[in-house]
């Protein structure tokens, strides 16, 4: 993602499939909201809550289960790469 309007832009993760690994690269100067799809969860956030990915960061999202399909359970790796 190369252009993010401060606090306004975001992307959605795809339909959850256990084992999916999605890389999101935010090359903009603003944080990017990354949303799970329908009732999905990222880390320990509430269902449908956005994860704020810092400006200039590359981050991998890994789906471990489709229990809350189509959103699933997603986790970020321990490190945000700039």
């Amino acid at each position: 993602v190369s252009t993010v309007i401060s606090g306004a832009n975001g992307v959605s993760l795809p339909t959850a499939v256990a084992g999916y690994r999605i890389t999101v690269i935010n090359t903009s100067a603003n944080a990017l909201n990354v949303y799970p799809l329908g009732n999905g969860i990222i880390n320990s956030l509430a269902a449908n809550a956005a994860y704020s990915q810092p400006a200039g960061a590359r981050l991998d999202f890994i789906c471990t289960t489709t229990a809350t399909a189509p959103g699933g359970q997603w986790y970020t790796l321990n490190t945000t790469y700039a």
Side-chain angles (χ1 to χ4, degrees):
V1 179
S2 60
T3 303
V4 177
I5 298 169
S6 183
N9 286 117
V11 296
S12 292
L13 295 171
T15 298
V17 175
Y20 265 16
R21 179 177 177 166
I22 306 296
T23 301
V24 177
I25 302 170
N26 178 10
T27 61
S28 77
N30 296 306
L32 171 70
N33 290 326
V34 179
Y35 294 91
L37 190 63
N39 294 322
I41 298 168
I42 298 175
N43 295 332
S44 61
L45 298 173
N48 300 317
Y51 179 88
S52 181
Q53 182 169 333
R58 172 189 170 265
L59 194 56
D60 290 328
F61 293 82
I62 302 190
C63 180
T64 58
T65 180
T66 56
T68 55
Q73 174 66 60
W74 295 86
Y75 291 99
T76 57
L77 293 180
N78 293 335
T79 305
T80 299
Y81 299 94

